[in-house]
Amino acid sequence: MTKNKYVMNWIDEMAQMTQPDKIVWIDGSEEQAEALRAEACSTGELIKLNQEKLPGCYLHRTAVNDVARVEGRTFICTSKKEDAGNINNWMSPDECYSKLKKLYTGSMKGRTMYVIPYSMGIVGSDFAKYGIELTDSIYVVLNMLIMTRVGNNVLDALGDSGDFIKGLHSKADLDEENRYICHFPEDNTIWSVNSGYGGNVLLGKKCFALRIASYLGRKEKWMAEHMLILGIESPDGETKYVSAAFPSACGKTNLAMLIPPEVFAKKGYKVWCVGDDIAWLRVGSDGRLWAVNPENGFFGVAPGTNEKSNPNALHTCMKDAIFTNVCHNLDDNTVWWEGLDDNPPRNAENWRGEPWDYTKYDKNDKVKTAGAHPNSRFTAKAVNCPCISPKFNDPAGVPISAIIFGGRRAKTAPLVYQSTSWQNGTFVGSIMASETTAAAAGAVGVVRRDPMAMRPFVGYNMGDYFKHWLDMGKIIPNPPKIFHVNWFRTDDEGNFIWPGFGDNMRVLMWILARCDGKVGAVETPIGYVPMAEDINIEGLDITLDTVKELLTVDKEAWLADVDNIKEFYELVGDRVPAELKDELESLKERLSK
Ligand code: OXD
Ligand code: MN
């Protein structure tokens, strides 16, 4: 515990409102975690899985109406509406506090309030930021113990400072109509109510490490981004790091943990995962941009994870993991999800906990017929990942050579291209687009603009966020080069042309060669595109012509995109920096030539 008066006064105030029966401080010890797991199993909140096959693993089911982030109910509550901008939902802080106070009043009656002191980043490091989450959910406590660094040492590091993020979460009665995920960046506060789904309630993750942190990063001249971080070690032992932003469920976790294809593995190349979802980036004393993953675990999408797509993730979640909304194999008390293997369990319960008949599976209606919800998850410890980077716990982070943006575009974007400058790279990030996925509630399969993969996560006006990117470029003496990739180009029948997964390393190798000035490129209206023969396809079942096809820039499709980008910039509003509008105009000119 602590004598910190800011902490104690705030907890008092929150407890008076929510009225829990008791307050329990989470100390980060294994004994306490084990007792909480036992308690959650006794109430059915968790199911203990087969401890021989899945040691330390548990299954949890959320309410059926509570399976994804709810962007429509996520608010940025700044005093001035224009500071939240047009892309965010906004409520005035006064209105929001008073609305939510009603929902929180008495919401923890008969329950325990858990106090979770946690750090995003290594405790005591320059990157670290501290938070305290108050919650009435054991599931949240156990997930936060995996996803963040929790315990008394956080309180020691905080000392008597009031500089921490105050997070309040109550499941209340899981009422969908009164579900709110609200951020008060001017008060370092997050209030989440009526949900039990990870992205809405593990407040260290999207709420703090992206929305609040992006706001702080702008104020303090650093960046909080929706990016994986990985290192590629060459046979001579040197490791280069890249960070990459992709919209939710576009394979970030797969790329972060990729297995090098034979052609590189046999030469001694290795890939190390530093992070799969969030990067905090700061300018180092050497003038480069340095990154840490502020999290301590992975909250990965289960469906589609298998021995081919991501063996490292699969091994990571075979131990000490919490599975949420996957299918329960009753024969051996293990778990299963679509895409794990071709052998669905015959005696099983689906993600809702109902008897499940795999023969009724219809891929067009997964939520109803699948064993596992399409957005079912595993929460797993980073230290259990076979390819976790030796630098994962390095307080200094890792120096970033390249920033990679990516989207899911069937036709427009080539396999890879390089921007021509930091400003042009910022433009490339600002026009990212992808199809929507199951990670967010709402329509699936619709193309939407998702700048830097941050559309749902910028804690302030998107136009100001673009400006912050441009401003950062001015204070990084030796900035990373910026690229864009698209693994998802399809042929006329809708089949993916590029093999993806581990073979994406072939593209990363071109990117690193560009960073080292070791390879040429073709100048196109959108930027530098590889010469087809510079993408190593040794051992692949595709031809040079296919690579050429993957690298084409379809001017007509791009010109149509230009109009769509213009509309999007108009939606973002008048704070879109003039530099980016100029970039758009010059792109149009180059395409029209
Ligand atoms: C996630 C997301 O859960 O981006 O990581 O939705
Ligand atoms: Mn994410």
Side-chain angles (χ1 to χ4, degrees):
M1 290 221 341
T2 176
K3 292 200 174 67
N4 182 317
K5 67 176 190 313
Y6 299 101
V7 172
M8 297 312 290
N9 291 347
W10 168 66
I11 294 177
D12 271 356
E13 201 190 320
M14 297 302 105
Q16 272 178 35
M17 176 168 69
T18 54
Q19 301 162 31
D21 281 11
K22 57 177 181 166
I23 298 180
V24 169
W25 287 70
I26 301 301
D27 59 15
S29 70
E30 180 49 30
E31 298 72 48
Q32 188 185 42
E34 189 51 32
L36 288 170
R37 286 181 208 116
E39 186 179 336
C41 287
S42 74
T43 60
E45 188 174 349
L46 288 184
I47 295 170
K48 193 169 192 168
L49 294 166
N50 182 325
Q51 296 297 297
E52 256 152 47
K53 293 190 172 166
L54 297 168
C57 291
Y58 293 80
L59 169 64
H60 171 80
R61 297 189 186 108
T62 64
V64 297
N65 70 6
D66 190 22
V67 292
R69 287 186 290 101
V70 279
E71 290 175 14
R73 308 202 67 91
T74 299
F75 289 80
I76 301 295
C77 305
T78 42
S79 328
K80 292 196 202 119
K81 183 172 192 306
E82 57 274 26
D83 289 341
N86 299 335
I87 301 298
N88 286 311
N89 301 312
W90 175 83
M91 233 192 286
S92 83
D94 286 351
E95 184 194 345
C96 189
Y97 281 131
S98 80
K99 195 186 207 77
L100 268 59
K101 266 180 193 157
K102 293 194 188 103
L103 302 174
Y104 281 120
T105 298
S107 68
M108 295 193 190
K109 267 188 198 157
R111 299 181 185 171
T112 300
M113 172 192 273
Y114 298 97
V115 180
I116 314 171
Y118 66 96
S119 175
M120 301 311 291
I122 313 277
V123 180
S125 70
D126 288 350
F127 279 95
K129 296 260 174 207
Y130 307 125
I132 298 182
E133 175 163 356
L134 308 178
T135 178
D136 54 6
S137 157
I138 295 182
Y139 171 76
V140 167
V141 173
L142 296 174
N143 275 272
M144 287 293 282
L145 283 166
I146 297 174
M147 294 304 296
T148 71
R149 294 167 172 90
V150 174
N152 291 336
N153 59 338
V154 175
L155 294 172
D156 294 343
L158 184 61
D160 51 18
S161 158
D163 185 13
F164 65 99
I165 305 302
K166 302 185 278 264
L168 175 65
H169 164 249
S170 175
K171 292 179 287 188
D173 40 24
L174 297 176
D175 174 6
E176 223 175 342
E177 300 299 313
N178 278 308
R179 185 167 296 154
Y180 288 97
I181 321 299
C182 298
H183 307 71
F184 305 86
E186 293 157 2
D187 303 342
N188 281 345
T189 294
I190 305 160
W191 278 14
S192 162
V193 67
N194 276 311
S195 175
Y197 168 75
N200 300 327
V201 300
L202 307 179
L203 301 185
K205 193 174 180 60
K206 304 299 189 183
C207 299
F208 175 174
L210 289 177
R211 297 193 190 98
I212 297 287
S214 62
Y215 179 92
L216 294 176
R218 176 171 173 244
K219 239 178 28 189
E220 299 166 1
K221 297 193 169 47
W222 56 280
M223 305 164 91
E225 298 296 333
H226 192 197
M227 289 178 178
L228 65 90
I229 309 165
L230 68 79
I232 296 186
E233 183 181 330
S234 57
D236 62 9
E238 198 198 0
T239 306
K240 294 246 161 78
Y241 297 89
V242 304
S243 62
F246 297 87
S248 304
C250 277
K252 272 207 344 273
T253 306
N254 293 347
L255 185 65
M257 298 181 189
L258 78 75
I259 304 267
E262 182 65 25
V263 51
F264 301 122
K266 70 179 185 222
K267 290 186 191 141
Y269 283 94
K270 295 189 182 117
V271 171
W272 300 107
C273 171
V274 182
D276 79 325
D277 196 39
I278 298 176
W280 284 1
L281 305 118
R282 286 177 182 268
V283 188
S285 52
D286 62 355
R288 289 187 292 175
L289 192 61
W290 288 68
V292 296
N293 168 12
E295 302 191 281
N296 204 22
F298 307 113
F299 184 60
V301 176
T305 305
N306 59 47
E307 277 296 349
K308 175 169 180 284
S309 67
N310 196 338
N312 282 321
L314 203 55
H315 294 166
T316 310
C317 69
M318 289 295 122
K319 200 167 102 181
D320 309 326
I322 300 173
F323 295 95
T324 302
N325 293 340
V326 297
C327 178
H328 189 193
N329 182 343
L330 298 174
D331 279 337
D332 64 353
N333 192 22
T334 57
V335 291
W336 188 86
W337 49 79
E338 279 68 21
L340 174 64
D341 55 38
D342 293 330
N343 189 21
R346 307 303 195 253
N347 176 22
E349 280 175 352
N350 66 12
W351 64 274
R352 294 182 163 90
E354 304 157 343
W356 180 62
D357 178 354
Y358 75 95
T359 61
K360 304 266 163 60
Y361 175 69
D362 171 3
K363 72 177 189 322
N364 297 315
D365 192 3
K366 291 186 189 166
V367 171
K368 263 224 183 93
T369 66
H373 188 276
N375 191 35
S376 55
R377 300 280 176 147
F378 56 82
T379 318
K381 293 181 179 174
V383 289
N384 286 345
C385 177
C387 63
I388 196 70
S389 164
K391 296 276 185 191
F392 175 72
N393 277 317
D394 190 329
V398 295
I400 298 296
S401 300
I403 288 176
I404 304 169
F405 294 121
R408 194 181 265 270
R409 300 305 302 269
K411 298 288 170 207
T412 321
L415 179 62
V416 55
Y417 68 101
Q418 183 186 356
S419 66
T420 54
S421 63
W422 180 273
Q423 174 174 307
N424 178 252
T426 301
F427 169 70
V428 169
S430 81
I431 67 170
M432 262 174 67
S434 202
E435 289 164 23
T436 51
T437 71
V444 173
V446 179
V447 169
R448 76 163 182 174
R449 297 271 152 208
D450 190 353
M452 285 82 172
M454 284 287 280
R455 184 173 180 146
F457 306 121
V458 178
Y460 58 101
N461 187 310
M462 181 71 80
D464 292 338
Y465 168 75
F466 293 159
K467 170 87 169 39
H468 178 51
W469 262 83
L470 296 173
D471 290 345
M472 286 299 299
K474 293 174 194 139
I475 61 164
I476 315 171
N478 189 3
K481 306 255 187 299
I482 302 179
F483 297 80
H484 186 282
V485 299
N486 176 27
W487 318 132
F488 301 98
R489 209 141 149 167
T490 55
D491 61 20
D492 291 338
E493 280 77 52
N495 305 306
F496 294 124
I497 308 176
W498 178 248
F501 302 109
D503 289 313
N504 291 335
M505 183 168 168
R506 298 167 189 272
V507 174
L508 299 184
M509 294 300 280
W510 181 80
I511 287 173
L512 289 183
R514 284 297 289 171
C515 292
D516 287 344
K518 285 189 184 147
V519 71
V522 184
E523 211 173 324
T524 75
I526 61 167
Y528 302 111
V529 170
M531 290 178 269
E533 42 294 336
D534 288 333
I535 301 287
N536 186 330
I537 50 170
E538 187 187 321
L540 270 189
D541 200 13
I542 64 174
T543 63
L544 199 60
D545 280 342
T546 309
V547 179
K548 282 186 184 148
E549 163 67 24
L550 282 162
L551 293 172
T552 51
V553 177
D554 176 343
K555 287 192 185 179
E556 289 311 310
W558 274 89
L559 277 168
D561 227 35
V562 164
D563 291 335
N564 185 278
I565 296 163
K566 216 174 230 160
E567 273 168 37
F568 178 68
Y569 277 0
E570 273 158 25
L571 176 68
V572 173
D574 53 13
R575 295 200 192 172
V576 173
E579 291 91 328
L580 297 191
K581 292 183 189 158
D582 292 347
E583 286 284 344
L584 182 58
E585 277 316 304
S586 0
L587 172 65
K588 191 172 175 182
E589 267 168 39
R590 292 192 300 270
L591 288 165
S592 310
K593 261 189 204 150

